[in-house]
């Protein structure tokens, strides 16, 4: 299970080889809850908490992922044992691929998959919205054209065409979110993506959902033995999780879909967000709603993948392993098929 | 698999230790001397050995029962009973 610790002043430490979580309740009483280390998979903590080093040790012993996030969901860092997930050979191959045309093949694959996911999602929306068919068809064609342009990009390395790719990707994204907003009920519509702060509840939910996804992707990369900081397309800035931003693209649709369904199903209301200067932010209730919906989507509903029924979290991990294996040529650069 | 552990143990010290072992293994306390939760085969073996070493075989009684998920769904629970989703590990996230 995941433990999401949000209450200010909560203390996480160890008692009898179990995690003890101590917090003050509103009525002033002290609440203590115990969780067996073998049952906990991840502890997610926001700021304003305390954590003991013994708790960190217990977490490392049981492969529990300690993730620290900001209030709006962006991961700040994590505690994970410092071993590589796999062989160093993978990291060397990853560095090489980042400089040659193999990296570009992968980047194009990820972007095309992302845009195809967006296209398919709009196609799905058409099923129950006959009156908007023309509008949606128009968007589908535009995104398909962009996908073809990505396909046509050639170069000796990703750097040569990365600006063009970023442009095409950005345009597809704008079209996609424009469509989502158009389809939503009037009161949930929004004007494009916004970050820090999110200008509307939809963006607040989406930012938090992407935040959770970033955390997940970083973990699958580490587990597969890849370096989350060596990206193919995203710039190698100081402390940029470049590979995370590259690898996340095909899976962003998971976050998009969960958030969209919450809004289109009118599950979200005023009690889930708090207004802040210049925008909106998720509160505890909103986070609980989103996290539960997201976990259910990623870990409960199995989808078909290579002839097996698997949950999405597992598929992402398998894709990461497949990517790593292809880098060290255990597997050919097989045709990429994600979710 | 779902595991029930019920016991009568005479000595306070041993009884407390058994309760603690059950909790550490990830079982939930459903009554004072009764635990329930999901364990895999290895975890069950470990717990079995740990408890076996601790108790007085002449006097104490410990029952370890497996139960299938289907049977749990057929259980009738009245009053302040345990949470079926909790013991089957279907609750994926806790907010604290």
């Amino acid at each position: 299970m995941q433990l999401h610790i949000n209450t200010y002043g909560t203390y996480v430490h160890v008692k009898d080889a179990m995690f003890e979580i101590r917090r003050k309740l509103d009525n002033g009483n002290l609440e203590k809850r115990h969780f067996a280390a073998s049952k906990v998979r991840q502890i997610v903590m926001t700021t304003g908490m305390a954590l003991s080093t013994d708790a960190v040790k217990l977490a490392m012993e049981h492969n529990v992922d300690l993730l620290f996030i900001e209030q709006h969901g962006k991961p700040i860092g994590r505690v994970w044992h410092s071993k590589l997930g796999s062989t160093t050979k993978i990291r060397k191959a990853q560095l090489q691929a980042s400089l040659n045309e193999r990296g570009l093949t992968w980047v194009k694959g990820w972007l095309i998959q992302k845009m195809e996911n967006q296209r398919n999602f709009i196609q799905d929306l058409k099923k129950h919205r006959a009156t908007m068919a023309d509008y949606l068809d128009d968007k589908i064609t535009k995104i398909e054209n962009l996908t073809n342009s990505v396909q046509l990009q050639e170069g000796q390395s990703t750097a040569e065409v990365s600006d063009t790719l970023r442009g095409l990707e950005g345009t597809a994204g704008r079209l996609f979110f424009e469509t989502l907003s158009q389809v939503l009920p009037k009161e949930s519509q929004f004007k494009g993506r916004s970050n820090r702060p999110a200008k509307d509840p939809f963006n607040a939910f989406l930012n938090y959902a992407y935040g959770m996804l970033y955390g997940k992707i970083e973990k699958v990369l580490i587990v597969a033995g890849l370096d989350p900081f060596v990206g193919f397309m995203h710039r190698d800035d100081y402390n940029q999780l470049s590979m995370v931003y590259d690898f996340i693209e095909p899976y962003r649709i998971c976050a998009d879909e969960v958030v969209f369904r919450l809004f289109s199903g009118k599950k979200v209301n005023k009690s889930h967000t708090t207004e802040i200067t210049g925008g909106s932010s998720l509160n505890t209730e909103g986070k609980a709603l989103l996290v539960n919906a997201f976990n259910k989507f990623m870990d409960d509903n199995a989808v078909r993948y290579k002839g097996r029924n698997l949950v999405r979290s597992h598929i992402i991990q398998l894709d990461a392993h497949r990517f790593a294996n292809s880098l060290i040529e255990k597997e050919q650069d097989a045709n990429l098929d994600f979710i | 698999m779902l595991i029930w552990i019920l016991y009568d143990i005479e000595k306070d010290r041993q009884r407390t230790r058994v309760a603690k072992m059950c909790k550490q293994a990830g079982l939930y306390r459903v009554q004072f001397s009764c635990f329930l939760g999901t364990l895999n085969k290895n975890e069950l073996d470990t717990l079995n050995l740990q408890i076996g070493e601790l108790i007085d075989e002449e006097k104490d009684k410990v029952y370890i029962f497996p139960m299938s998920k289907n049977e749990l769904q057929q259980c009738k629970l009245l009053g302040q009973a345990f949470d079926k989703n909790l013991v089957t590990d279907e609750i994926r996230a806790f907010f604290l």
Side-chain angles (χ1 to χ4, degrees):
Chain A
M1 68 182 80
Q2 293 176 325
L3 302 178
H4 288 257
I5 303 172
N6 285 319
T7 322
Y8 182 82
T10 309
Y11 180 42
V12 179
H13 66 138
V14 176
K15 184 87 193 281
D16 300 329
M18 288 180 283
F19 291 110
E20 181 179 88
I21 298 184
R22 200 168 75 190
R23 60 172 178 164
K24 230 187 197 141
L25 297 175
D26 290 339
N27 57 21
N29 291 342
L30 209 57
E31 185 204 47
K32 284 180 187 169
R33 297 191 61 165
H34 297 91
F35 295 93
S38 59
K39 292 276 162 180
V40 181
R41 214 183 61 220
Q42 186 181 43
I43 304 181
V44 183
M45 302 176 82
T46 48
T47 46
M49 319 283 149
L51 174 71
S52 83
T53 44
D54 284 318
V56 176
K57 180 169 170 253
L58 185 65
M60 294 306 97
E61 282 165 2
H62 287 85
N63 260 344
V64 178
D65 184 23
L66 286 176
L67 185 64
F68 304 100
I69 59 171
E70 278 180 55
Q71 291 293 340
H72 54 266
K74 189 169 182 270
I76 303 166
R78 67 171 1 116
V79 183
W80 183 257
H81 56 71
S82 52
K83 287 168 280 211
L84 299 179
S86 185
T87 150
T88 319
K89 228 170 132 187
I90 293 175
R91 297 208 171 188
K92 285 185 185 159
Q94 187 186 349
L95 283 163
Q96 273 174 344
S98 74
L99 298 173
N100 64 30
E101 73 286 349
R102 279 186 83 191
L104 181 60
T105 317
W106 278 99
V107 165
K108 272 165 61 179
W110 290 323
L111 287 183
I112 290 170
Q113 189 63 45
K114 173 193 185 176
M115 287 151 84
E116 271 174 17
N117 290 342
Q118 292 176 334
R119 180 210 169 274
N120 294 343
F121 193 69
I122 300 180
Q123 183 81 41
D124 257 11
L125 292 176
K126 235 174 73 179
K127 280 186 199 151
H128 303 289
R129 292 169 179 84
T131 49
M132 301 183 86
D134 288 343
Y135 175 81
L136 297 174
D137 274 333
D138 173 48
K139 300 288 178 186
I140 289 174
T141 328
K142 280 183 181 156
I143 292 184
E144 277 171 357
N145 290 339
L146 289 166
T147 315
N148 290 337
S149 314
V150 171
Q151 186 71 61
L152 291 173
Q153 298 302 315
E154 298 284 347
Q156 289 303 304
S157 74
T158 320
E160 286 177 21
V161 288
S162 63
D163 283 338
T164 325
L165 289 178
R166 252 194 291 277
L168 294 168
E169 175 197 7
T171 316
R174 262 193 303 285
L175 286 168
F176 177 65
F177 286 110
E178 199 181 292
T179 318
L180 290 195
S181 171
Q182 199 65 41
V183 173
L184 282 174
K186 265 255 153 2
E187 65 276 13
S188 321
Q189 292 188 347
F190 58 94
K191 272 209 180 85
R193 292 276 298 125
S194 51
N195 216 329
R196 297 178 179 223
K199 289 201 177 105
D200 46 72
F202 191 91
N203 275 297
F205 268 80
L206 204 56
N207 291 339
Y208 201 87
Y210 283 158
M212 281 192 285
L213 203 56
Y214 285 132
K216 239 184 178 20
I217 299 287
E218 190 192 355
K219 189 177 166 184
V220 300
L221 291 177
I222 297 173
V223 170
L226 294 154
D227 188 337
F229 292 92
V230 177
F232 290 172
M233 183 169 89
H234 286 87
R235 274 159 300 177
D236 302 327
D237 276 341
Y238 288 104
N239 297 326
Q240 276 282 345
L241 290 161
S242 310
M243 184 42 83
V244 176
Y245 294 114
D246 286 349
F247 195 74
I248 199 175
E249 299 298 0
Y251 312 106
R252 278 190 196 270
I253 196 73
C254 298
D256 299 338
E257 184 167 346
V258 169
V259 173
F260 180 81
R261 301 263 178 249
L262 285 176
F263 276 86
S264 67
K266 302 201 172 165
K267 299 270 173 17
V268 182
N269 55 43
K270 285 219 166 70
S271 71
H272 293 119
T273 47
T274 316
E275 284 198 20
I276 51 168
T277 346
S280 138
S281 150
L282 274 191
N283 58 26
T284 317
E285 269 176 68
K287 284 175 193 169
L289 176 76
L290 177 62
V291 172
N292 282 323
F294 186 74
N295 282 342
K296 211 171 148 45
F297 188 79
M298 298 304 283
D299 295 311
D300 282 351
N301 305 332
V303 287
R304 205 75 188 153
Y305 175 84
K306 289 180 172 291
R308 288 194 285 169
N309 290 331
L310 297 174
V311 297
R312 290 178 173 88
S313 289
H314 195 177
I315 293 175
I316 301 181
Q317 183 66 67
L318 287 177
D319 280 341
H321 282 302
R322 227 150 53 82
F323 170 44
N325 279 338
S326 100
L327 285 176
I328 53 171
E329 279 153 2
K330 268 193 187 166
E331 240 177 89
Q332 292 296 314
D333 276 348
N335 43 336
L336 316 154
D337 46 352
F338 304 93
I339 289 178
Chain B
M1 63 193 129
L2 275 161
I3 301 295
W4 285 93
I5 295 194
L6 320 168
Y7 53 76
D8 263 334
I9 293 170
E10 268 190 17
K11 287 201 177 127
D12 289 353
R13 217 176 113 83
Q14 272 78 341
R15 194 166 57 243
T16 327
R17 295 245 354 237
V18 169
K20 206 176 268 178
M21 283 170 183
C22 292
K23 277 194 216 163
Q24 284 168 348
L27 297 174
Y28 297 96
R29 194 167 211 157
V30 295
Q31 316 239 307
F32 276 118
S33 304
C34 173
F35 285 82
L36 170 63
T38 314
L39 295 183
N40 66 30
K41 232 172 162 215
N42 284 338
E43 291 167 333
L44 177 62
D45 272 352
T46 313
L47 189 61
N48 195 352
L49 292 172
Q50 280 178 327
I51 296 178
E53 263 178 32
L54 198 74
I55 56 166
D56 178 350
E57 295 212 345
E58 299 297 312
K59 293 174 182 159
D60 299 336
K61 302 166 206 133
V62 179
Y63 308 99
I64 302 180
F65 300 122
M67 185 194 220
S68 75
K69 243 184 181 175
N70 279 338
E71 284 163 332
L72 180 77
Q73 290 315 324
Q74 289 163 24
C75 286
K76 299 271 182 289
L77 305 177
L78 303 172
Q80 294 293 309
F82 61 86
D83 183 344
K84 280 185 185 171
N85 289 330
L86 186 65
V87 297
T88 49
D89 285 350
E90 265 158 45
I91 295 187
R92 288 267 161 68
F94 270 101
F95 295 86
L96 297 156

